[in-house]
Amino acid sequence: MVSMIQPGEAVPSVPVKHVSASGASDVDSAALLGEGRVVFFTVPGAFTPTCHKNHLPGFIDNAAAIKAKGVDRIVCGAVNDYHVVTAWAEASNALGKIDFLSDGNGELARAMGLEKDLSKAGMGDRFVRSALLLRDGKVEAVYVEDAPGVTTSGAASILTALEASQG
């Protein structure tokens, strides 16, 4: 297991799918997450209960407030194929507010040290629930959930962190 990505480190460069309002495209993770100020939050799985009902909705509801704090892009990462990620983005009415990163093979999750083995639940390796603040491709802060639920990686916590970094 790779050690978890730390502040000051660059986002790894691996092939991923970018799902946005204009469709899905092949991109490099470092390019997608490397321009400007980005909030990148990761979820164990599209449509899974906590991700679908608690994590993603907070970012959808607070997208304008987060962007008003100087964030250029909000990106949700999931280890699901891009068809599932696209369906989730559409079903959540998130497109246009949030971009999605489909890490279908878990390469980015592994490269960032943010993978979790959920094989006992029949899900294989997935992203841990987390959020990162990025600036020009470098990590400013990492917030990883250490218990079930959404606290430190949720939109409210990220808004608080953004406010603190402006002061």
Side-chain angles (χ1 to χ4, degrees):
M1 180 174 165
V2 174
S3 62
M4 186 174 66
I5 196 163
Q6 297 295 312
E9 294 181 350
V11 172
S13 175
V14 300
V16 295
K17 292 273 192 186
H18 176 209
V19 175
S20 69
S22 42
S25 58
D26 292 317
V27 297
D28 179 271
S29 57
L32 177 62
L33 301 171
E35 285 187 32
R37 190 99 189 261
V38 177
V39 170
F40 178 49
F41 70 102
T42 65
V43 298
F47 291 112
T48 58
T50 303
C51 304
H52 186 64
K53 294 177 184 167
N54 303 109
H55 208 177
L56 177 60
F59 282 98
I60 295 168
D61 294 345
N62 290 286
I66 290 169
K67 289 179 180 177
K69 299 290 180 199
V71 170
D72 300 299
R73 175 183 280 166
I74 302 167
V75 181
C76 175
V79 179
N80 292 103
D81 69 75
Y82 76 95
H83 300 288
V84 171
V85 171
T86 300
W88 187 41
E90 290 171 351
S92 301
N93 294 313
L95 294 174
K97 295 178 184 175
I98 295 173
D99 287 353
F100 290 78
L101 180 153
S102 167
D103 184 24
N105 294 322
E107 291 178 60
L108 182 60
R110 276 189 297 283
M112 295 179 87
L114 293 173
E115 83 281 9
K116 182 175 186 172
D117 183 359
L118 296 175
S119 296
K120 288 182 181 175
M123 297 170 66
D125 288 341
R126 299 292 181 111
F127 268 116
V128 296
R129 187 174 311 286
S130 71
L132 296 89
L133 298 180
L134 309 171
R135 187 182 301 273
D136 297 324
K138 295 220 186 258
V139 176
E140 290 184 321
V142 182
Y143 305 93
V144 176
E145 297 292 348
D146 58 3
V150 178
T151 55
T152 61
S153 68
S157 294
I158 296 306
L159 265 172
T160 300
L162 289 167
E163 288 166 4
S165 71
Q166 287 182 329

